[in-house]
Structures are given as C-alpha cells and as structure tokens.
C-alpha cells in the first residue's frame, strides 16, 4: 500500500511565559494491500489517551484517511520552572534505541513512520537548578488505577557525566532506574537501566 503522511504544528504565544501548542498527524493509506488487513482503519484509529482526539475520515477496503491530535499542551515556562498540562511527549530515555527509562513513551524503533512518537495525556512539572541539575514529576492518569504512570526524575552532572535517577509507579508495578551519558576518551558512553 502507499502512504501520504503530514503534520500541522501550531504554536500560540499567549504571554511571555505561557504558550500552547497543537500538533495534528494526518495519514492517507491506499492500495490493494489494505484488503489483506482486516479492519485496517479501526486498527489505525487507536490512540492510548484519556481523550479521543482522532478521526477516521475514510475507512474503505483500499483507502483509509486518518487524523489525530497527538500534541495539545498548555505550558508555563520560566528560567526555573516548566509546567505542562495536556497531550505531550515525555522523553526520559537516554539511549537512541533501547530505552527502559522511557516509561511514559516507550516506542517501537522499527516504526520509522512516526519520528515524533505518541504523546501522553499528562501533567509534568520540571524544576531547574543551577549547574545542569533538574528535578521533575510526571503523572499520566489512566482510565483505571492499573493504567496510571507516575514518577519522579532527578538529573545532575558529575565528573563530566550526565546522570539521571528515577522512581515511581508504572501501571501496577513499582519502577526504579537510572541512566548516564558521557565519554570514555573520545568515545561516547551511555546507558540506562530500570
């Protein structure tokens, strides 16, 4: 099948410290290969969020058109604080491919069609300190208790290494983890574990 994929990104500066953004992902699939996928349109029209912000425009055997608002966030940002409410990307991973610390936005590396990665309906509060140190808390409420993610992340720099420590609740499990990024001589050295 063939695919046309585009995005509309809108940024609204409401004041010097308050902004809002809305981003819409649009896709049109067509071709005979769609006939081999039962309910292709319905399988595309799934998004893991509290609010249904998607629409299946066309759902035919050889043509599917779909749009989803995958970012819709209100942000308050100063030199020390960054507070975001709404559908957003929360990236806690350090590595490019294997990201056990990316508990909010785990993704399939083979899904090369979606570089932006899905957003979460969440609240995120970040506090920046001096010397590349920050702390943040993020909460992604689920429809029921077993779908909620809530965690704390602390980042700092020591001996030319960026280090992060995290802890929280991932669905019905507790999670504790950490990560690092630095160099050994001229080679990059980074990793993470949860």
């Amino acid at each position: 099948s063939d695919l046309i994929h585009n995005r509309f990104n809108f940024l609204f500066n409401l004041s010097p410290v308050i902004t809002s953004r809305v981003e819409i992902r649009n896709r049109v699939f067509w071709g005979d290969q769609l006939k081999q996928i039962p309910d292709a349109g319905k399988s595309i029209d799934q998004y893991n969020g509290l609010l249904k912000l998607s629409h299946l425009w066309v759902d035919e055997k050889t043509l599917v058109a779909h749009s989803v608002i995958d970012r819709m966030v209100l942000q308050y940002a100063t030199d020390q604080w960054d507070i975001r409410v709404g559908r957003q990307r929360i990236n806690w991973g350090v590595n490019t491919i294997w990201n056990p610390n990316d508990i909010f936005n785990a993704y399939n590396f083979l899904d090369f069609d979606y570089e932006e990665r899905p957003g979460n309906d969440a609240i995120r509060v970040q506090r920046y300190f001096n010397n590349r140190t920050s702390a943040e808390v993020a909460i992604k409420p689920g429809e029921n208790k077993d779908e909620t993610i809530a965690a704390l992340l602390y980042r700092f720099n020591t001996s030319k290494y960026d280090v992060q420590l995290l802890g929280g609740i991932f669905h019905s499990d507790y999670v504790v983890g950490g990560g690092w990024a630095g160099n050994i001589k001229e080679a990059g050295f980074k990793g993470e574990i949860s």
Side-chain angles (χ1 to χ4, degrees):
S1 70
D2 296 301
L3 167 67
I4 294 176
H5 181 185
N6 81 329
R7 294 186 67 79
F8 295 117
N9 298 332
F10 302 97
L11 175 66
F12 306 97
N13 293 310
L14 305 174
S15 80
V17 295
I18 298 175
T19 60
S20 178
R21 60 198 278 214
V22 175
E23 298 182 13
I24 306 167
R25 179 185 192 208
N26 303 292
R27 294 178 295 168
V28 177
F29 299 86
W30 72 92
D32 289 333
Q33 192 174 15
L34 282 175
K35 292 179 185 176
Q36 300 174 17
I37 304 170
D39 294 323
K42 290 179 181 62
S43 68
I44 292 167
D45 191 31
Q46 295 184 23
Y47 200 88
N48 188 18
L50 288 176
L51 302 174
K52 181 164 174 38
L53 300 176
S54 64
H55 187 72
L56 190 58
W57 301 99
V58 179
D59 187 11
E60 302 294 332
K61 289 188 185 260
T62 59
L63 178 65
V64 173
H66 180 258
S67 297
V68 62
I69 298 174
D70 62 356
R71 302 286 189 278
M72 187 171 67
V73 65
L74 183 64
Q75 178 180 12
Y76 168 82
T78 65
D79 290 340
Q80 294 182 331
W81 292 96
D82 187 348
I83 301 169
R84 298 177 188 198
V85 177
R87 187 164 287 178
Q88 57 189 295
R89 169 88 171 103
I90 301 175
N91 180 11
W92 284 5
V94 174
N95 287 311
T96 306
I97 298 171
W98 184 69
N99 300 98
N101 290 348
D102 205 356
I103 60 175
F104 289 92
N105 283 105
Y107 75 103
N108 180 351
F109 178 71
L110 300 175
D111 187 3
F112 54 86
D113 176 48
Y114 199 11
E115 295 176 4
E116 295 83 11
R117 302 185 195 154
N120 288 293
D121 296 341
I123 299 169
R124 179 183 189 189
V125 178
Q126 295 174 283
R127 172 71 160 93
Y128 299 103
F129 305 98
N130 55 7
N131 206 16
R132 293 188 282 179
T133 301
S134 67
E136 70 182 88
V137 60
I139 301 168
K140 175 190 171 192
E143 288 186 24
N144 60 56
K145 183 181 174 185
D146 290 343
E147 295 175 349
T148 297
I149 303 171
L152 299 166
L153 178 72
Y154 182 67
R155 291 183 172 132
F156 60 96
N157 184 278
T158 182
S159 303
K160 297 183 180 179
Y161 272 80
D162 292 325
V163 178
Q164 69 177 31
L165 304 171
L166 69 95
I169 298 169
F170 180 79
H171 301 289
S172 59
D173 296 322
Y174 294 104
V175 62
V176 175
W180 69 90
N183 292 311
I184 297 177
K185 296 198 179 197
E186 299 297 317
F189 178 58
K190 60 184 175 179
E192 58 190 271
I193 187 169
S194 289

